[in-house]
Amino acid sequence: MMDTVDTAFLSQLLDWSTRPWFRLGNTDMTLLRVVGLIVILVFFWWFASVLERTLRRMARAGNMVKLSDSAIFALTRIVRYLVWILGSIVGLAYLGFDLASLALVGGAMGVGIGFGLQNIFSNLVSGILILVEKTLKVGDFVDLQSGVVGKVTEIGLRYTRVTTNDNVDVIVPNSEFINGRVTNWTLDDHLRRIHVPFGVAYGSDKEQVRTAVTAAARKVSGTIDLPGREPEVWLVNFGDSSLDFELVVWVAHELAISPGRTHARYLWEIETALGVAGIEIPFPQRDLHVRSGRLTVDLSGGTLPAASPDKASSAP
């Protein structure tokens, strides 16, 4: 009796799963076809991820031609996208699509792109251009026109993930890298020159300032001190209350990708060196001019007498 019931149930289930829902081109869409399509797409999605990781691991292990990490990432990611495209074609073939149906779908996609998917399509094309041209690589430190500053940690087909020095992941559309200004601090050379401004009081010995500050710069780990790239001190301006200098120094990659912390470290050493050398760091001051009356000043720290009722004014 149970065998008869199970057979009847399986027969009904098979009949229901093969019953056409609607017709797409020359193909009857059924539950069985939809499930088969999902299985095909999931398999190719999984296979693409496994293939990408395997190729990347083999390349880094030295079993393939020696390539940089950024080139390995770009090539394996392109392979992943090609597998996705192949899976989509196999899925469409499984559904029985012919060229006429594909043309129909392509026309529908074109209408969709024209009305609302142009941004997505632009990001997809931009992602392919980034991977092919290699103007942007994983590990580069970038400064975008929108104000995003950080390290590129992932380049996808639609977006690029930029991780800031505060460990915040920013998802940036790929079209921003193509259409906007992008400052790549580590495109070809990982060394970078930075300018650290500071000021000293008028009357300070310029040569003493140069000696103290360049010695302070060399104390910071990561400072480049090679012929032609030695730390330098430039006098750049005569300020309102100070001689304005800049420490111009070449730094290694680990300092270049953290500009805020790097400036803080150099300023710390500069302040210490100037203090040891007895060089004054000025600050804004104001002079008080008494136009009439009398004002008594007690420099001993005692209580001041009441000021004269005569009018007084101050001028900067």
Side-chain angles (χ1 to χ4, degrees):
M1 183 66 180
M2 290 296 296
D3 293 341
T4 304
V5 174
D6 291 343
T7 302
F9 174 75
L10 292 176
S11 178
Q12 291 178 0
L13 180 62
L14 182 61
D15 179 67
W16 182 73
S17 62
T18 56
R19 184 178 303 166
W21 293 350
F22 57 91
R23 193 172 184 82
L24 186 62
N26 297 325
T27 304
D28 292 328
M29 297 302 299
T30 64
L31 176 62
L32 197 60
R33 281 193 176 274
V34 172
V35 171
L37 176 63
I38 293 175
V39 170
I40 291 174
L41 294 180
V42 170
F43 170 77
F44 275 94
W45 189 281
W46 169 82
F47 178 72
S49 301
V50 172
L51 181 62
E52 180 186 20
R53 290 195 298 268
T54 302
L55 291 176
R56 193 173 299 171
R57 186 164 54 249
M58 292 174 58
R60 289 174 177 172
N63 296 329
M64 298 175 62
V65 180
K66 288 293 185 181
L67 298 171
S68 63
D69 287 343
S70 58
I72 292 172
F73 179 89
L75 292 175
T76 55
R77 183 52 57 93
I78 291 175
V79 169
R80 181 177 184 175
Y81 294 151
L82 291 176
V83 174
W84 285 354
I85 295 173
L86 177 62
S88 301
I89 295 174
V90 172
L92 292 175
Y94 171 77
L95 291 180
F97 273 72
D98 55 14
L99 294 179
S101 299
L102 290 177
L104 178 64
V105 173
M109 289 180 61
V111 174
I113 292 172
F115 279 100
L117 301 179
Q118 63 268 29
N119 290 334
I120 296 177
F121 186 74
S122 174
N123 290 327
L124 293 176
V125 175
S126 299
I128 295 174
L129 290 176
I130 291 173
L131 291 173
V132 172
E133 294 179 349
K134 298 181 182 180
T135 54
L136 187 69
K137 307 179 296 296
V138 173
D140 285 347
F141 195 82
V142 297
D143 181 0
L144 304 184
Q145 190 172 359
S146 59
V148 177
V149 179
K151 181 180 179 181
V152 176
T153 53
E154 180 185 359
I155 302 176
L157 197 59
R158 186 184 60 84
Y159 67 87
T160 294
R161 179 156 57 103
V162 178
T163 302
T164 68
N165 288 330
D166 295 327
N167 202 29
V168 176
D169 291 326
V170 182
I171 305 301
V172 182
N174 285 331
S175 58
E176 184 171 339
F177 290 93
I178 301 298
N179 301 324
R181 175 194 58 80
V182 180
T183 302
N184 191 335
W185 293 2
T186 54
L187 178 60
D188 294 323
D189 192 348
H190 284 184
L191 302 183
R192 178 173 175 261
R193 191 172 73 173
I194 64 173
H195 297 246
V196 183
F198 66 96
V200 301
Y202 278 100
S204 300
D205 188 331
K206 299 186 296 296
E207 293 300 329
Q208 189 179 10
V209 172
R210 173 186 294 170
T211 301
V213 173
T214 53
R218 292 186 175 95
K219 293 182 180 179
V220 178
S221 178
T223 299
I224 305 300
D225 189 12
L226 298 174
R229 291 187 173 181
E230 306 92 343
E232 296 181 289
V233 175
W234 296 353
L235 176 60
V236 295
N237 189 34
F238 296 103
D240 293 337
S241 57
S242 66
L243 289 172
D244 296 334
F245 289 87
E246 280 187 357
L247 168 64
V248 183
V249 58
W250 288 89
V251 297
H253 179 69
E254 61 272 14
L255 295 184
I257 62 177
S258 55
R261 184 174 62 179
T262 299
H263 274 76
R265 294 175 64 181
Y266 280 111
L267 288 175
W268 186 282
E269 295 295 341
I270 289 173
E271 197 279 336
T272 301
L274 294 180
V276 171
I279 300 173
E280 180 184 356
I281 299 178
F283 55 89
Q285 303 181 41
R286 294 183 180 275
D287 296 330
L288 181 66
H289 300 274
V290 180
R291 297 179 60 184
S292 63
R294 183 180 63 182
L295 178 65
T296 304
V297 179
D298 185 0
L299 299 179
S300 64
T303 303
L304 294 177
S308 172
D310 295 333
K311 294 182 179 180
S313 62
S314 63

